[in-house]
Amino acid sequence: MTSKRTDVVIIGAGWAGAILAKEMREAGRRVIMLERGPERKTAVEGTYPGSIDELRGAIRHRLFQNPAKTTVTIRNTVNQTALPYRQLAAFLPGEGVGGAGLHWSGVHFRAAPDDLRLRSHVIERYGAKFIPDTMNLQDYGVTYEELEPFFDKAEKVFGTSGDAYKVNGEIVGNGNIYAPSRSDHFPLPAMQDVYTASLFRRAAGDAGYHPYALPAANASRQYTNTYGLQMGPCNFCGYCSGYDCYMYSKASPNINILPALRNDADFTLITDAHVLRVNLDSDRRKATGVTYLDQKENREETIEADLVILAAFQFHNVHLMLLSGIGTPYDPVSNTGVVGRNFVYQTITTSRAWLSEKQYTNQFVGAGGAGVAIDDFNSDNFDHGPLGFIGGSPVWVNQAGVKPIAAAMTGGGKSAPRWGAGYKAGLVDTYRHSMAMDAHGSNMAYRDVYLDLDPTWKDSYGQPLLRMTFTWKENDIRMNQYVVGKIEPIMKALGARRYELGRLEHGEAFDTRKYQTTHLGGGAVMGTSPKDSALNRYLQSWDVSNVFVIGSNAFPQGMGYNPTGTVAALAYWAAHHIRAHYLAQPGPLVSL
Amino acid sequence: MSAPSSSRRRFVRNAAGTTAFFLLGGQEFPIPALAAAPAPAAPPEFFSAEEFRFLQAACDCIYPDDSFGPGASALGVPSFIDRQMQTPYGRGELWYMSGPFQNGPANLGYQLPLAPQALYRQGIESANHYARTERGKDFASLPPEIRTELLTAFEGGAVHFAAFNARLFFEQLRRNTLEGVFADPIHGGNLHMQGWMLLGFPGARADFMDWVNQEGQAYPFEPVSIDPQKA
Ligand SMILES: Cc1cc2nc3c(=O)[nH]c(=O)nc-3n(C[C@H](O)[C@H](O)[C@H](O)COP(=O)(O)OP(=O)(O)OC[C@H]3O[C@@H](n4cnc5c(N)ncnc54)[C@H](O)[C@@H]3O)c2cc1C
Ligand code: SF4
């Protein structure tokens, strides 16, 4: 074992890690970034046409985490035995330089103001009794107004395309009427609507809703970002989700941040470096650095650092905290402890309209972040009082480019044969003439939904796997059913020949076998009290003040929007406070 | 179910070797009439001849030859699966394969100590055993209706093979069959991109700048493969 010294060590080379690395270099600190996966460069493996092979890509998981080495165990309820998640399906964590930011789709949202202070907001509008006893509803501890400059900063780095509604309090465009005011426009105009999105825009309007263009980190024009890095215009090739963009049009850490660091002598990126733990001093109040396994040499190495940034992705961050003894593990029986608490996800169900035989929906055309959405049933944009649930869903057409293998697995819809006679007829009709829309909703936090270490299964490094205890709860199922019910008028306005509404059913257990989203959240949440949060509002560990934990682990509950826009804003927000206050005077940024 | 789109697109399947026409959105595209020509039968490397016969028969039940076009074995799907067995996927290197192995509710996912290679070896053996016991012959020697009946029983979940529920094997087979029909031909299936033509998927074109919104017109161009030589 050898040992190196640096100022800042960062675990993970995704969006969170790349943002912190850039900010720490701007502050003049020496940075070592450790990434357990391989190097990934668009100019090497992301080129046309090799990169757009569906079998190698989305099906055999070229860019995703290989669970053979390490995975999680999953159970639905506390009295079950959790079993290993042996085959990736329900969620697809990233691995390698860029993390999931290389193979994400690019829907780029800002968290809604109400969602950031959901507990306070619900109490103000509906009273404290509205919150079920078993729900750990919390505020983030940071407001939209405080985060606004950092949302703006992230969009200018990502080259985000979108339509603003309000800029500095004035209505300026055709964007989401429920979106809060912005300090500036999106850096690029909205992406063009694909055919199905244009139909949805019209039908949703006819149904009395308020459609808007999804904010997309897919470049609608040529763009040069804050760091002088360039993106080319997106050609709607349809290979965002699960792939690296050969057109340099989808924002990724690999294109939008890391090239600005790669030639910097005080920035070191070490790949194939699996961090085993954060090392703490004897009283567990200070981190001394990290120990990692150099997977090329099969050798343990230690790095000493003043500041340790966990940016390994939501549940990997929680796993590393538990393995390292940072903070008190959560106990669901007493509802005490914080690491593993408020593990949340996202509800998503897909509905489908079959249009006339004259309408070809060309579903292979698309971009991962582009589409048209309505927010009429998201967040607290509608009166929950008579409904008795908390949360909501945007509804959208987000035609990201449907590939043939993926289409073949779904086939012709619920009533069509899955194989054999009649299978092709249903598949062909569905692929050529149908369109899909999602209700992509919130998921609240519950006392008995959490993360801890598994007592039985281990990873290939000999460490216990992380255990997820997760299932769908009545509040969220009712929310989903309500919102899906509101899709019906859109189906009618579309003139659909037939349609199927996808919804969660009462009592339905979380199924690890079918893809939902990779929008996992919580487990090490930010907040205002160390009693119910692992991190303060600057994403700093309450217990070990030279550890910051960046990612969607900070979300106290799952929101209707996709997470990454908020992760990036929180990363810039934390970095700003590290630069402005912490570096000059290391120690807790919030004193108790 | 009747296929609304089949009226506007069809393969004109004359005698093998003549030209077929691919009708789409009122335009005609001549394509080689390979619909009727079987895939060159490369000898399997992983599967035995006997196992391969099972695969051909089973894949053709799942994705049959019909008025829409050729079935799975004419598209090279059994060879595709044979090749997949010799990849990290086939060897189970993309799955978490550490013990202990314990059964649980289906929604918690796959829990067997078997990689795809072993699933196929044992699955085919068990399926043939079942076919012989119930119907007196190997699966591939039975008439197509009976094969379909057996696969339906496997899918239904009531049949138990020696080491696992037959449904599990069926789902593996269905998944890999459809992968073989619709993956790029570079992987050995989807012969002459006929899987893609059926759907109107343009393959590796991956540039739709002019096709973002054509108000519901059918996309007019034939597919291309990642490697045109192999298509
Ligand atoms: C198919 C897909 C589509 C998506 N689409 C969208 C979308 O449209 N909009 C949206 O907002 N979000 C989307 N997401 C989610 C988005 O990708 C993530 O929110 C985001 O990338 C998270 O960034 P991160 O930096 O927190 O983590 P990651 O990008 O996951 O990066 C973490 C990195 O840390 C590394 N790491 C983990 N553990 C260790 C360790 N012990 N030692 C060393 N390194 C380690 C990992 O290998 C990884 O590279 C999508 C995700 C997927 C999979
Ligand atoms: S759709 Fe656009 S952003 Fe997405 S991979 Fe293709 S070119 Fe890139």
Side-chain angles (χ1 to χ4, degrees), chain A residues 71-91 454 457 467-472 508-514 516, chain B residues 96 102-112 168:
Chain A
T71 183
V72 295
T73 64
I74 306 179
R75 59 181 178 175
N76 295 128
T77 58
V78 286
N79 42 31
Q80 272 181 322
T81 301
L83 296 175
Y85 178 53
R86 295 184 183 275
Q87 303 174 338
L88 290 195
F91 48 88
D454 190 87
W457 281 276
R467 175 168 69 178
M468 297 178 166
T469 304
F470 182 87
T471 199
W472 304 119
E508 181 172 336
F510 169 57
D511 191 332
T512 66
R513 296 168 301 176
K514 55 173 210 234
Q516 287 152 68
Chain B
Y96 178 78
Q102 192 175 316
N103 278 332
N107 69 307
L108 296 184
Y110 186 75
Q111 297 299 335
L112 294 175
L168 213 130

Side-chain angles (χ1 to χ4, degrees), chain A residues 357 424-426 428-429, chain B residues 1-8 68:
Chain A
E357 292 147 32
K424 291 186 201 175
V428 168
D429 184 29
Chain B
M1 182 198 282
S2 78
S5 355
S6 65
S7 58
R8 40 184 69 248
F68 283 87

Side-chain angles (χ1 to χ4, degrees), chain A residues 48-50 52-56 59-60 66-68 71 74-76 80-81 83-87 192-195 198 202 233-237 239 246 357-360 362 364-365 402-405 408-409 416 418-421 423-429 431-433 456-459 465 497-498 509-513, chain B residues 1 3-5 8-9 22 24-25 61-64 66 68-70 80 84 89 93-111 148 151-152 155 170-171 174-176 178-179 182-183 186-187 196-209 211-213 215-219 226:
Chain A
Y48 178 87
I52 59 161
D53 179 354
E54 184 188 14
L55 185 73
R56 265 199 332 128
I59 304 296
R60 296 285 183 263
N66 184 348
T71 183
I74 306 179
R75 59 181 178 175
N76 295 128
Q80 272 181 322
T81 301
L83 296 175
Y85 178 53
R86 295 184 183 275
Q87 303 174 338
Q192 197 188 332
D193 295 348
V194 297
Y195 175 57
S198 75
R202 211 173 313 145
C234 163
N235 71 7
F236 288 82
C237 80
Y239 287 90
Y246 79 90
E357 292 147 32
K358 291 198 190 93
Q359 291 168 286
Y360 287 80
N362 296 330
F364 46 85
V365 177
V402 183
K403 304 294 168 306
I405 300 175
M409 296 302 162
R418 296 178 68 233
W419 56 281
Y423 166 75
K424 291 186 201 175
L427 172 64
V428 168
D429 184 29
Y431 196 71
R432 289 177 179 263
H433 304 298
T456 308
W457 281 276
K458 299 210 168 9
D459 60 25
L465 295 185
R497 152 163 61 103
R498 71 183 175 99
F510 169 57
D511 191 332
T512 66
R513 296 168 301 176
Chain B
M1 182 198 282
S5 355
R8 40 184 69 248
R9 61 149 305 289
F22 182 62
L24 194 141
C61 286
I62 292 172
Y63 193 84
D66 57 18
F68 283 87
F80 164 88
Q84 286 298 306
Y89 166 74
E93 291 162 18
L94 306 185
W95 296 353
Y96 178 78
M97 294 299 276
S98 305
F101 291 89
Q102 192 175 316
N103 278 332
N107 69 307
L108 296 184
Y110 186 75
Q111 297 299 335
T148 299
L151 288 186
T152 307
E155 182 192 27
F170 174 81
E171 291 300 332
R174 174 182 180 270
R175 169 168 291 276
N176 294 146
L178 297 178
E179 285 170 1
F182 295 109
I186 57 172
H187 299 289
W196 289 351
M197 297 211 191
L198 175 73
L199 297 182
F201 175 69
R205 286 195 182 270
D207 178 358
F208 304 115
M209 210 62 154
W211 275 87
V212 179
N213 185 358
E215 296 296 340
Q217 295 293 308
Y219 182 81
I226 287 173

